[in-house]
Structures are given as C-alpha cells and as structure tokens.
Amino acid sequence: MTAGLDEAEQRLAARDYRGAHTLILAAIGADDTDARAWFLMGVIAADHGNAARAAELFEKAAALGTDDARIEAYLARARMALSDAPGARD
C-alpha cells in the first residue's frame, strides 16, 4: 500500500484533503497496523486545527513502532498546541 500512501502524501502537499483521506482510509482498511497511514491521518487532523485528535493519531502511529522521525516531531507539535488551547491546563 506504499504507492497509495505516497500518493496520499502528494495530495496532502497539494491540500487535497478529501483525496488523501480516501487513500489513507483504504490503506488502513488493508492494514490497520500501518504507522504511516495513522500518521497521515494525524496530519489531516492537525492541518484542520484538531490538535487533540492529531495527538491521538500520532500516538497510535508511534505505538505501532516505526523509525519515521516525523511522527515524534508532529506529536510534540500537537502536544504544544494543546497546552496553548483555552482550558487545556485545567
């Protein structure tokens, strides 16, 4: 499913979120242990301002075990966004 996720990343870069989402869902349907697919879902959530959901998705990707450093970087960014959100410290 690498080709589908490669295309999904290209669509994300072009801000074609619907197209990317469709490809990522297909990848998850084929293999729900694909860390890259969960990471890309997190990117969509982050790009849409949903830091809490993004953090959940990045955590799932990290838990699946991968050497993709982007996952930890994006997870850190999502956690930082949450600490700045109103009420996040309560």
Side-chain angles (χ1 to χ4, degrees):
M1 205 56 177
T2 300
L5 291 178
D6 289 346
E7 184 178 345
E9 287 204 49
Q10 291 172 356
R11 289 180 183 234
L12 283 174
R15 302 226 185 272
D16 175 10
Y17 294 105
R18 285 187 183 160
H21 188 258
T22 298
L23 292 166
I24 297 164
L25 285 178
I28 290 171
D31 178 7
D32 68 353
T33 65
D34 188 325
R36 184 176 173 204
W38 291 107
F39 164 72
L40 294 174
M41 288 294 274
V43 171
I44 291 173
D47 283 0
H48 285 86
N50 191 342
R53 183 66 177 141
E56 290 173 8
L57 292 163
F58 296 142
E59 287 169 358
K60 182 170 182 70
L64 290 170
T66 180
D67 60 355
D68 188 341
R70 298 178 301 171
I71 294 170
E72 293 298 327
Y74 275 73
L75 176 56
R77 188 183 304 171
R79 287 180 175 161
M80 286 174 31
L82 287 173
S83 69
D84 292 334
R89 296 180 196 197
D90 294 338

